[in-house]
Amino acid sequence: MRKATKNDMRQKLHHIIFIVIATLLIMGCTGKGSQSLSDIPDDIVQTHGDSIALAARFTGDFNHFLAVTDSLADAGELSQIRADGLRGVAYFQMGQIDKCLECLRSAIADETPPAADFWEYIHAGTNLVIILNSQRNYDSAMRTALRLIDLLKQTDSPRSAEELQTLYLCLGDTQLMLKRSDDAVESYNEAYQCVLHTRNNSTSRPLAASIETVENIAASHINHQMEAGIWVDRMDSLLAVYEAQPKAIDKEIKAFRALVLLHRAQVCQMQGKETEAARYYEQYKSTDYGSSLEGRINGCDYLVEAHRYAEAADNYTQLDRFIKEWGYEYDLETIGNNLLPKLRSNYHAGRQDSALHVAMQIAEVYDSALVQQKQRDAAEMTTIYDVQGKERQIIEQRAGKRLFTAISIAVAIIALLAGILAVYFFRQQRVIRKKNRVLVEQMTEAVEYKRMMEEGRSKSRVSDEVIVEKTPDEIVDFDALTTDELSQHIRSVIIRERLYLNAQFTGQRVPHHCRLHQPLPSGVCQGTARRQS
């Protein structure tokens, strides 16, 4: 197996550093002060404080409801988002729209709501969009709706479709008022897709709300002279499903069925099918809803389009009563949607006195309605300024937190890299020290071995010199020599006289040449031969 080289270790270190940095950067980019959107509950979770507040709301005393909400918020039983959402409802019911808008804006001031309050946050934002639309503040309504839609798209909760259909409906209405018909059609289609994906429950309330969504889309198409037949058909199909539900409310079924007839009459009238339109309207007028005060006022739009001015004028005689019972007021929108059609109906029906009376009424309420609208716009601008100031504070706080988080992440990365590098260099030093230790040992062994070899060689040279210095004449008694000394003597003679160059020189001539008078021991010849070789 191939051993890891220094380059391999360096590459591994680089990979580790890259992974660590990438992980920390991802954590830094995705980290937020609120809980993750994956923690959002599938449905609204009511707290003990919610139950008490809702009980106060259903008493019908909205001052009491507001006081209870404030007390619960002060006691910590309601979060800021929940409390502001409920306050907005209370002020709306009391007709204090400016304070209602202020509370609802405060409820959704934070762009990232806590998971526990997510659905209350969306509900408050949807109410804000609806009111902004009714106040004809279409730009703010569109921006708010788009922000809530983007937030809901990040969740995978089944409840999202139920909330999205209302937001897309409001967005489409806003786009229609801003003359962006193509965008409005796209938003309405998105709303219908959400209707199809809205889960129903045992109360059938989500299904009833879906029918209302489709009915509003159909009415918007009719009011803007757009093709609405398909939306009426879709409403009719959803109504058939609702009628089969065990807990469907009979009064709602009758009202929805009547509205289907009215819208079919309006669609046929736009298509020039006047006879068929009249037949549908007669069926509508015979229903309980069609004969009610609300039904007669709503039917006036068809009657005016069909030039049935006398019938429309008759129904409009109940307009003041309708405005009072429904808690409306004669603002600019009411003047445009109701008083002007009433004026035209009376005029074309030949009721000049009634037409003059309506004209005088418009003159009286127009001035106050215009002043009221300007005051409302001014109050709204003040509210927006206050909310923007709060939002700026929140943004600055968030920026400070993000800066602190970024610095913390940078310090953590530097510390981690320093630690990794320290460990890497420590291990490298250990490897180098080990290698150096082995190298020193090897060098020591080599030096020692060289020294021993040199000592051996020096001893051999000394012995040779001693023996060489002694000539054969100086050696008196060869028998007194040891075998090694005798071998050294013979070797010195062979070397000195270069006998190894003589091809005729053999072992048998050694005794004679070395002046030996007796045969050599076998070990001496063998030892001499080995050394010589």
Side-chain angles (χ1 to χ4, degrees):
M1 183 180 294
R2 184 176 66 89
K3 293 184 178 179
T5 63
K6 186 181 291 185
N7 289 334
D8 293 335
M9 295 180 64
R10 194 171 292 133
Q11 289 178 358
K12 290 181 180 178
L13 178 63
H14 291 165
H15 290 164
I16 293 172
I17 293 174
F18 175 77
I19 292 171
V20 171
I21 293 175
T23 304
L24 289 174
L25 288 176
I26 291 172
M27 291 174 61
C29 293
T30 57
K32 294 181 180 179
S34 64
Q35 301 179 47
S36 171
L37 292 179
S38 61
D39 298 330
I40 294 174
D42 288 340
D43 212 332
I44 295 177
V45 179
Q46 286 193 356
T47 64
H48 178 66
D50 292 329
S51 301
I52 298 175
L54 290 175
R57 173 185 177 181
F58 291 130
T59 62
D61 186 348
F62 293 102
N63 284 311
H64 172 66
F65 171 41
L66 186 61
V68 171
T69 300
D70 291 339
S71 298
L72 291 170
D74 293 339
E77 293 290 335
L78 288 175
S79 66
Q80 180 264 329
I81 292 176
R82 293 174 185 246
D84 281 337
L86 294 174
R87 290 186 185 108
V89 172
Y91 283 123
F92 178 81
Q93 294 294 336
M94 291 187 292
Q96 301 181 35
I97 303 300
D98 298 339
K99 290 185 177 180
C100 170
L101 290 172
E102 180 180 358
C103 291
L104 295 179
R105 283 194 175 102
S106 176
I108 64 168
D110 194 345
E111 293 182 0
T112 53
D117 294 333
F118 181 81
W119 296 114
E120 286 76 9
Y121 177 95
I122 295 296
H123 188 68
T126 303
N127 284 338
L128 176 61
V129 171
I130 293 172
I131 296 173
L132 289 173
N133 261 346
S134 67
Q135 296 291 305
R136 290 177 292 181
N137 188 349
Y138 301 122
D139 183 63
S140 295
M142 180 181 296
R143 284 189 285 107
T144 304
L146 289 172
R147 178 159 72 89
L148 296 175
I149 288 171
D150 289 341
L151 197 58
L152 280 168
K153 284 183 175 180
Q154 299 178 40
T155 70
D156 55 359
S157 172
R159 185 180 174 83
S160 296
E162 183 177 346
E163 301 292 340
L164 281 170
Q165 63 170 274
T166 303
L167 287 170
Y168 275 119
L169 166 65
C170 294
L171 181 61
D173 290 344
T174 299
Q175 290 164 334
L176 272 184
M177 299 306 297
L178 295 175
K179 310 300 182 183
R180 296 168 57 176
S181 301
D182 293 340
D183 292 338
V185 170
E186 184 177 348
S187 296
Y188 288 142
N189 288 331
E190 289 288 346
Y192 184 64
Q193 292 301 315
C194 294
V195 165
L196 297 179
H197 289 89
T198 296
R199 59 176 183 176
N200 196 27
N201 57 34
S202 59
T203 65
S204 299
R205 290 296 85 214
L207 182 56
S210 296
I211 297 174
E212 291 178 352
T213 296
V214 176
E215 191 273 329
N216 277 298
I217 295 175
S220 295
H221 278 70
I222 292 170
N223 293 336
H224 289 82
Q225 300 297 308
M226 299 167 62
E227 178 54 45
I230 187 173
W231 292 101
V232 180
D233 292 339
R234 288 170 174 174
M235 180 183 175
D236 198 2
S237 299
L238 287 175
L239 181 56
V241 176
Y242 180 63
E243 288 175 335
Q245 300 299 311
K247 292 188 177 181
I249 300 175
D250 186 63
K251 184 178 180 181
E252 281 187 338
I253 294 175
K254 291 180 178 179
F256 288 144
R257 183 58 62 192
L259 288 172
V260 168
L261 294 171
L262 174 61
H263 293 328
R264 290 201 184 282
Q266 293 171 311
V267 169
C268 290
Q269 184 65 34
M270 286 192 298
Q271 295 174 346
K273 303 175 182 179
E274 296 182 358
T275 302
E276 191 173 354
R279 179 169 58 82
Y280 278 125
Y281 181 76
E282 291 303 318
Q283 294 177 9
Y284 166 76
K285 190 169 65 172
S286 64
T287 63
D288 293 340
Y289 178 83
S291 60
S292 67
L293 175 60
E294 180 184 1
R296 292 202 305 274
I297 297 298
N298 286 339
C300 287
D301 290 336
Y302 161 75
L303 293 173
V304 171
E305 289 296 325
H307 305 298
R308 297 166 64 170
Y309 296 115
E311 295 177 68
D314 291 341
N315 290 341
Y316 273 130
T317 58
Q318 301 294 319
L319 179 61
D320 292 340
R321 175 186 160 199
F322 174 77
I323 295 293
K324 182 178 180 181
E325 288 185 0
W326 280 84
Y328 296 145
E329 56 185 16
Y330 282 111
D331 55 11
L332 294 178
E333 186 174 4
T334 306
I335 291 172
N337 292 339
N338 300 108
L339 286 181
L340 289 178
K342 180 179 180 180
L343 174 62
R344 281 198 304 272
S345 298
N346 281 280
Y347 176 78
H348 290 293
R351 304 176 184 180
Q352 305 299 331
D353 293 341
S354 297
L356 180 60
H357 175 74
V358 175
M360 293 298 296
Q361 185 182 13
I362 293 174
E364 290 176 2
V365 300
Y366 180 78
D367 184 61
S368 60
L370 184 61
V371 171
Q372 185 182 33
Q373 184 64 41
K374 289 182 177 180
Q375 291 175 345
R376 184 175 297 166
D377 291 341
E380 184 175 348
M381 290 299 297
T382 302
T383 301
I384 292 174
Y385 180 78
D386 292 339
V387 171
Q388 287 177 343
K390 295 177 182 178
E391 289 178 347
R392 280 195 299 270
Q393 293 178 357
I394 293 172
I395 291 172
E396 290 173 358
Q397 292 174 356
R398 277 201 207 116
K401 290 180 180 178
R402 281 196 292 266
L403 179 60
F404 177 76
T405 302
I407 293 174
S408 301
I409 291 173
V411 171
I413 291 174
I414 294 172
L416 184 58
L417 291 177
I420 292 174
L421 291 174
V423 172
Y424 172 73
F425 287 122
F426 176 74
R427 293 186 63 182
Q428 287 294 98
Q429 290 295 324
R430 287 184 60 185
V431 172
I432 292 172
R433 284 197 298 270
K434 184 176 180 181
K435 289 181 178 180
N436 289 339
R437 188 165 54 251
V438 172
L439 183 59
V440 168
E441 291 176 355
Q442 292 175 347
M443 291 177 66
T444 303
E445 290 178 359
V447 171
E448 182 65 21
Y449 180 75
K450 182 178 180 183
R451 185 183 62 79
M452 292 174 62
M453 290 293 295
E454 290 178 350
E455 288 180 354
R457 289 174 183 172
S458 62
K459 288 180 182 180
S460 176
R461 285 196 298 271
V462 171
S463 300
D464 291 345
E465 290 173 359
V466 171
I467 295 173
V468 168
E469 288 175 356
K470 293 182 179 181
T471 63
D473 295 336
E474 293 174 340
I475 299 175
V476 180
D477 188 4
F478 285 99
D479 294 334
L481 297 176
T482 64
T483 303
D484 288 338
E485 290 174 343
L486 184 58
S487 298
Q488 290 291 340
H489 170 69
I490 296 171
R491 180 171 177 269
S492 64
V493 171
I494 294 172
I495 294 173
R496 184 175 63 251
E497 298 183 11
R498 299 185 180 181
L499 298 177
Y500 53 84
L501 297 177
N502 186 356
Q504 303 300 323
F505 180 76
T506 62
Q508 288 75 13
R509 302 185 62 183
V510 170
H512 172 73
H513 214 78
C514 294
R515 300 177 182 179
L516 300 176
H517 305 291
Q518 56 185 358
L520 292 175
S522 61
V524 174
C525 293
Q526 293 174 0
T528 302
R530 282 198 299 271
R531 288 193 183 93
Q532 185 59 34
S533 63

PDB file of all heavy atoms in Angstrom, residues 151-168:
ATOM      1  N   LEU A 151     -43.557  34.478   2.180  1.00  0.00           N
ATOM      2  CA  LEU A 151     -43.326  33.813   3.459  1.00  0.00           C
ATOM      3  C   LEU A 151     -44.061  32.478   3.521  1.00  0.00           C
ATOM      4  O   LEU A 151     -43.519  31.465   3.989  1.00  0.00           O
ATOM      5  CB  LEU A 151     -43.782  34.733   4.599  1.00  0.00           C
ATOM      6  CG  LEU A 151     -43.270  34.420   6.008  1.00  0.00           C
ATOM      7  CD1 LEU A 151     -41.747  34.426   6.043  1.00  0.00           C
ATOM      8  CD2 LEU A 151     -43.820  35.429   6.999  1.00  0.00           C
ATOM      9  N   LEU A 152     -45.304  32.464   3.029  1.00  0.00           N
ATOM     10  CA  LEU A 152     -46.088  31.228   3.054  1.00  0.00           C
ATOM     11  C   LEU A 152     -45.525  30.171   2.118  1.00  0.00           C
ATOM     12  O   LEU A 152     -45.607  28.973   2.399  1.00  0.00           O
ATOM     13  CB  LEU A 152     -47.540  31.522   2.675  1.00  0.00           C
ATOM     14  CG  LEU A 152     -48.427  32.089   3.794  1.00  0.00           C
ATOM     15  CD1 LEU A 152     -49.739  32.608   3.221  1.00  0.00           C
ATOM     16  CD2 LEU A 152     -48.705  31.034   4.849  1.00  0.00           C
ATOM     17  N   LYS A 153     -44.927  30.600   1.013  1.00  0.00           N
ATOM     18  CA  LYS A 153     -44.368  29.639   0.067  1.00  0.00           C
ATOM     19  C   LYS A 153     -43.163  28.889   0.637  1.00  0.00           C
ATOM     20  O   LYS A 153     -42.767  27.854   0.103  1.00  0.00           O
ATOM     21  CB  LYS A 153     -43.967  30.348  -1.229  1.00  0.00           C
ATOM     22  CG  LYS A 153     -45.155  30.694  -2.119  1.00  0.00           C
ATOM     23  CD  LYS A 153     -44.684  31.326  -3.417  1.00  0.00           C
ATOM     24  CE  LYS A 153     -45.844  31.567  -4.366  1.00  0.00           C
ATOM     25  NZ  LYS A 153     -45.396  32.182  -5.643  1.00  0.00           N
ATOM     26  N   GLN A 154     -42.580  29.419   1.707  1.00  0.00           N
ATOM     27  CA  GLN A 154     -41.434  28.758   2.325  1.00  0.00           C
ATOM     28  C   GLN A 154     -41.845  27.644   3.283  1.00  0.00           C
ATOM     29  O   GLN A 154     -40.987  26.940   3.806  1.00  0.00           O
ATOM     30  CB  GLN A 154     -40.586  29.782   3.092  1.00  0.00           C
ATOM     31  CG  GLN A 154     -40.023  30.887   2.222  1.00  0.00           C
ATOM     32  CD  GLN A 154     -39.246  31.903   3.021  1.00  0.00           C
ATOM     33  OE1 GLN A 154     -38.495  31.567   3.942  1.00  0.00           O
ATOM     34  NE2 GLN A 154     -39.421  33.180   2.703  1.00  0.00           N
ATOM     35  N   THR A 155     -43.135  27.503   3.510  1.00  0.00           N
ATOM     36  CA  THR A 155     -43.627  26.473   4.419  1.00  0.00           C
ATOM     37  C   THR A 155     -44.248  25.342   3.617  1.00  0.00           C
ATOM     38  O   THR A 155     -44.668  25.524   2.474  1.00  0.00           O
ATOM     39  CB  THR A 155     -44.681  27.051   5.380  1.00  0.00           C
ATOM     40  OG1 THR A 155     -45.884  27.360   4.630  1.00  0.00           O
ATOM     41  CG2 THR A 155     -44.182  28.323   6.047  1.00  0.00           C
ATOM     42  N   ASP A 156     -44.302  24.186   4.229  1.00  0.00           N
ATOM     43  CA  ASP A 156     -44.947  23.038   3.584  1.00  0.00           C
ATOM     44  C   ASP A 156     -46.187  22.600   4.363  1.00  0.00           C
ATOM     45  O   ASP A 156     -46.633  21.470   4.254  1.00  0.00           O
ATOM     46  CB  ASP A 156     -43.963  21.869   3.472  1.00  0.00           C
ATOM     47  CG  ASP A 156     -43.370  21.483   4.816  1.00  0.00           C
ATOM     48  OD1 ASP A 156     -43.699  22.137   5.832  1.00  0.00           O
ATOM     49  OD2 ASP A 156     -42.571  20.532   4.860  1.00  0.00           O
ATOM     50  N   SER A 157     -46.736  23.525   5.146  1.00  0.00           N
ATOM     51  CA  SER A 157     -47.919  23.208   5.937  1.00  0.00           C
ATOM     52  C   SER A 157     -49.157  23.124   5.042  1.00  0.00           C
ATOM     53  O   SER A 157     -49.323  23.943   4.125  1.00  0.00           O
ATOM     54  CB  SER A 157     -48.131  24.272   7.020  1.00  0.00           C
ATOM     55  OG  SER A 157     -49.375  24.078   7.671  1.00  0.00           O
ATOM     56  N   PRO A 158     -50.046  22.186   5.286  1.00  0.00           N
ATOM     57  CA  PRO A 158     -51.287  22.103   4.493  1.00  0.00           C
ATOM     58  C   PRO A 158     -52.201  23.307   4.682  1.00  0.00           C
ATOM     59  O   PRO A 158     -53.095  23.537   3.874  1.00  0.00           O
ATOM     60  CB  PRO A 158     -51.940  20.808   4.991  1.00  0.00           C
ATOM     61  CG  PRO A 158     -51.320  20.544   6.322  1.00  0.00           C
ATOM     62  CD  PRO A 158     -49.940  21.083   6.258  1.00  0.00           C
ATOM     63  N   ARG A 159     -51.970  24.073   5.744  1.00  0.00           N
ATOM     64  CA  ARG A 159     -52.802  25.250   5.982  1.00  0.00           C
ATOM     65  C   ARG A 159     -52.431  26.409   5.048  1.00  0.00           C
ATOM     66  O   ARG A 159     -53.220  27.342   4.857  1.00  0.00           O
ATOM     67  CB  ARG A 159     -52.663  25.701   7.440  1.00  0.00           C
ATOM     68  CG  ARG A 159     -53.585  26.862   7.807  1.00  0.00           C
ATOM     69  CD  ARG A 159     -53.443  27.308   9.246  1.00  0.00           C
ATOM     70  NE  ARG A 159     -54.228  28.494   9.490  1.00  0.00           N
ATOM     71  CZ  ARG A 159     -55.522  28.513   9.774  1.00  0.00           C
ATOM     72  NH1 ARG A 159     -56.173  27.363   9.865  1.00  0.00           N
ATOM     73  NH2 ARG A 159     -56.170  29.637   9.986  1.00  0.00           N
ATOM     74  N   SER A 160     -51.259  26.336   4.451  1.00  0.00           N
ATOM     75  CA  SER A 160     -50.788  27.439   3.612  1.00  0.00           C
ATOM     76  C   SER A 160     -51.752  27.734   2.466  1.00  0.00           C
ATOM     77  O   SER A 160     -51.997  28.898   2.135  1.00  0.00           O
ATOM     78  CB  SER A 160     -49.401  27.114   3.050  1.00  0.00           C
ATOM     79  OG  SER A 160     -48.456  26.996   4.089  1.00  0.00           O
ATOM     80  N   ALA A 161     -52.303  26.690   1.846  1.00  0.00           N
ATOM     81  CA  ALA A 161     -53.201  26.892   0.702  1.00  0.00           C
ATOM     82  C   ALA A 161     -54.431  27.702   1.109  1.00  0.00           C
ATOM     83  O   ALA A 161     -54.904  28.559   0.356  1.00  0.00           O
ATOM     84  CB  ALA A 161     -53.619  25.541   0.126  1.00  0.00           C
ATOM     85  N   GLU A 162     -54.935  27.437   2.311  1.00  0.00           N
ATOM     86  CA  GLU A 162     -56.118  28.155   2.791  1.00  0.00           C
ATOM     87  C   GLU A 162     -55.837  29.643   2.934  1.00  0.00           C
ATOM     88  O   GLU A 162     -56.697  30.487   2.632  1.00  0.00           O
ATOM     89  CB  GLU A 162     -56.559  27.560   4.130  1.00  0.00           C
ATOM     90  CG  GLU A 162     -57.828  28.160   4.704  1.00  0.00           C
ATOM     91  CD  GLU A 162     -58.242  27.478   5.990  1.00  0.00           C
ATOM     92  OE1 GLU A 162     -57.715  26.388   6.296  1.00  0.00           O
ATOM     93  OE2 GLU A 162     -59.101  28.034   6.708  1.00  0.00           O
ATOM     94  N   GLU A 163     -54.644  29.997   3.412  1.00  0.00           N
ATOM     95  CA  GLU A 163     -54.284  31.401   3.580  1.00  0.00           C
ATOM     96  C   GLU A 163     -53.909  32.041   2.249  1.00  0.00           C
ATOM     97  O   GLU A 163     -54.232  33.206   1.991  1.00  0.00           O
ATOM     98  CB  GLU A 163     -53.110  31.510   4.562  1.00  0.00           C
ATOM     99  CG  GLU A 163     -53.379  30.948   5.945  1.00  0.00           C
ATOM    100  CD  GLU A 163     -54.405  31.752   6.717  1.00  0.00           C
ATOM    101  OE1 GLU A 163     -54.633  32.937   6.349  1.00  0.00           O
ATOM    102  OE2 GLU A 163     -54.976  31.228   7.685  1.00  0.00           O
ATOM    103  N   LEU A 164     -53.244  31.275   1.389  1.00  0.00           N
ATOM    104  CA  LEU A 164     -52.777  31.825   0.121  1.00  0.00           C
ATOM    105  C   LEU A 164     -53.929  32.199  -0.807  1.00  0.00           C
ATOM    106  O   LEU A 164     -53.821  33.171  -1.571  1.00  0.00           O
ATOM    107  CB  LEU A 164     -51.859  30.815  -0.577  1.00  0.00           C
ATOM    108  CG  LEU A 164     -50.420  30.741  -0.068  1.00  0.00           C
ATOM    109  CD1 LEU A 164     -49.705  29.545  -0.670  1.00  0.00           C
ATOM    110  CD2 LEU A 164     -49.671  32.033  -0.403  1.00  0.00           C
ATOM    111  N   GLN A 165     -55.022  31.442  -0.760  1.00  0.00           N
ATOM    112  CA  GLN A 165     -56.118  31.755  -1.688  1.00  0.00           C
ATOM    113  C   GLN A 165     -56.689  33.139  -1.407  1.00  0.00           C
ATOM    114  O   GLN A 165     -57.012  33.890  -2.336  1.00  0.00           O
ATOM    115  CB  GLN A 165     -57.214  30.688  -1.600  1.00  0.00           C
ATOM    116  CG  GLN A 165     -57.897  30.582  -0.255  1.00  0.00           C
ATOM    117  CD  GLN A 165     -59.121  29.678  -0.312  1.00  0.00           C
ATOM    118  OE1 GLN A 165     -60.221  30.115  -0.646  1.00  0.00           O
ATOM    119  NE2 GLN A 165     -58.923  28.409   0.019  1.00  0.00           N
ATOM    120  N   THR A 166     -56.776  33.527  -0.133  1.00  0.00           N
ATOM    121  CA  THR A 166     -57.286  34.861   0.205  1.00  0.00           C
ATOM    122  C   THR A 166     -56.298  35.941  -0.215  1.00  0.00           C
ATOM    123  O   THR A 166     -56.697  36.992  -0.745  1.00  0.00           O
ATOM    124  CB  THR A 166     -57.548  34.952   1.716  1.00  0.00           C
ATOM    125  OG1 THR A 166     -58.460  33.926   2.102  1.00  0.00           O
ATOM    126  CG2 THR A 166     -58.138  36.307   2.077  1.00  0.00           C
ATOM    127  N   LEU A 167     -55.005  35.695   0.003  1.00  0.00           N
ATOM    128  CA  LEU A 167     -53.992  36.681  -0.363  1.00  0.00           C
ATOM    129  C   LEU A 167     -53.921  36.863  -1.883  1.00  0.00           C
ATOM    130  O   LEU A 167     -53.800  37.994  -2.376  1.00  0.00           O
ATOM    131  CB  LEU A 167     -52.637  36.259   0.188  1.00  0.00           C
ATOM    132  CG  LEU A 167     -52.470  36.413   1.700  1.00  0.00           C
ATOM    133  CD1 LEU A 167     -51.197  35.737   2.175  1.00  0.00           C
ATOM    134  CD2 LEU A 167     -52.464  37.896   2.083  1.00  0.00           C
ATOM    135  N   TYR A 168     -54.000  35.764  -2.626  1.00  0.00           N
ATOM    136  CA  TYR A 168     -53.992  35.886  -4.088  1.00  0.00           C
ATOM    137  C   TYR A 168     -55.252  36.588  -4.591  1.00  0.00           C
ATOM    138  O   TYR A 168     -55.212  37.329  -5.589  1.00  0.00           O
ATOM    139  CB  TYR A 168     -53.862  34.513  -4.738  1.00  0.00           C
ATOM    140  CG  TYR A 168     -52.442  34.041  -4.881  1.00  0.00           C
ATOM    141  CD1 TYR A 168     -52.000  32.879  -4.266  1.00  0.00           C
ATOM    142  CD2 TYR A 168     -51.527  34.753  -5.653  1.00  0.00           C
ATOM    143  CE1 TYR A 168     -50.687  32.435  -4.408  1.00  0.00           C
ATOM    144  CE2 TYR A 168     -50.220  34.328  -5.802  1.00  0.00           C
ATOM    145  CZ  TYR A 168     -49.805  33.170  -5.182  1.00  0.00           C
ATOM    146  OH  TYR A 168     -48.509  32.742  -5.321  1.00  0.00           O
TER     147      TYR A 168
END
